[in-house]
Amino acid sequence: MSFVILLNFNQADAGIITERYAASFARNTLLALLNCTADQFGGFSYRAGFQHPEPELPMIQHLILKKFRHKSIGQLLIEDVMLNMQLRIGDKTTVTIWSNEGMHQLLTAFLKSTLDNIVGKRFGYRFSAAAKPAEAYLFGLDFNLTIENLSPSGVRLCSETVLLSLPVSGAELMNLLRNRVGFTLSLPLETDTTIEVKLELWS
């Protein structure tokens, strides 16, 4: 009887240790990933190209003109949000504001390869970045990115989140909506200039 009790205790204890290790690993990995430069993971570059007229907002032009070599992955995620926010009207998502889809696809592939190498050998994972920079009645700006490598039989062990700030003000977000949907100028606008970056680990 005592052996059975000890065995059950050890199994439960092992589960706690595994979850604690996973949480610590996820937190450290997420922080390191966002703060390391892309060069440290093989390098990343893209050529800015817009389906719509090139943005006139200075902060977006500043992002585009900066050299890529020393940019952190956190900076690249911020640029992806700024260049690929989608305009939502009601419950329907329409085209992106600037539509730099090429950059988005390249960054997604780069992050997938990086996460597979760092995390995929130990855990299943789901990496996501989400933002809702502006909300007005019937209108909004959204961004969602999800990358995952999960086993159907996996069990979620932990979830860690880091918040990043967008280099944009509420007034600039209002201008984005006004330029695309002219009569929103008189509507009240709620703004949230944060990006929620999450890493979930699975057995």
Side-chain angles (χ1 to χ4, degrees):
M1 176 67 72
S2 60
F3 175 75
V4 173
I5 294 174
L6 180 61
L7 178 61
N8 289 338
F9 172 78
N10 287 339
Q11 289 175 337
D13 193 45
I16 293 172
I17 292 173
T18 300
E19 291 180 3
R20 286 180 178 175
Y21 170 75
S24 177
F25 180 84
R27 184 71 176 177
N28 291 335
T29 298
L30 191 54
L31 290 173
L33 182 69
L34 295 175
N35 287 287
C36 286
T37 63
D39 271 3
Q40 294 174 268
F41 299 102
F44 176 82
S45 63
Y46 69 92
R47 182 178 179 180
F50 299 93
Q51 294 181 11
H52 301 290
E54 190 163 323
E56 298 179 358
L57 295 179
M59 48 85 184
I60 291 183
Q61 292 179 338
H62 176 65
L63 291 176
I64 297 168
L65 295 173
K66 288 174 64 178
K67 294 182 179 180
F68 302 111
R69 183 173 181 181
H70 300 298
K71 286 185 179 180
S72 70
I73 293 178
Q75 287 176 304
L76 291 172
L77 270 174
I78 290 171
E79 293 182 26
D80 194 16
V81 175
M82 295 303 302
L83 298 175
N84 289 291
M85 286 186 288
Q86 293 187 319
L87 174 64
R88 175 174 41 79
I89 302 177
D91 58 356
K92 181 181 179 180
T93 298
T94 64
V95 295
T96 54
I97 295 298
W98 308 122
S99 193
N100 198 331
E101 184 64 24
M103 182 267 188
H104 181 70
Q105 292 177 351
L106 287 172
L107 182 60
T108 300
F110 172 77
L111 288 171
K112 178 70 165 60
S113 175
T114 300
L115 288 164
D116 282 347
N117 288 331
I118 296 175
V119 182
K121 296 176 182 179
R122 295 182 175 91
F123 301 96
Y125 69 83
R126 177 181 290 133
F127 175 89
S128 61
K132 289 190 175 182
E135 291 282 341
Y137 180 66
L138 294 180
F139 303 99
L141 297 175
D142 295 338
F143 177 89
N144 287 283
L145 166 67
T146 301
I147 302 169
E148 59 185 26
N149 183 3
L150 300 175
S151 168
S153 60
V155 176
R156 194 175 78 161
L157 299 172
C158 66
S159 177
E160 295 293 329
T161 301
V162 172
L163 298 180
L164 302 178
S165 295
L166 291 173
V168 60
S169 67
E172 288 172 311
L173 290 172
M174 174 62 86
N175 286 335
L176 285 176
L177 279 176
R178 183 188 61 188
N179 290 339
R180 296 307 303 274
V181 189
F183 56 84
T184 61
L185 184 61
S186 61
L187 298 176
L189 181 71
E190 296 181 6
T191 61
D192 182 359
T193 58
T194 59
I195 309 170
E196 183 180 86
V197 184
K198 183 184 296 185
L199 179 60
E200 301 172 71
L201 296 186
W202 301 64
S203 62

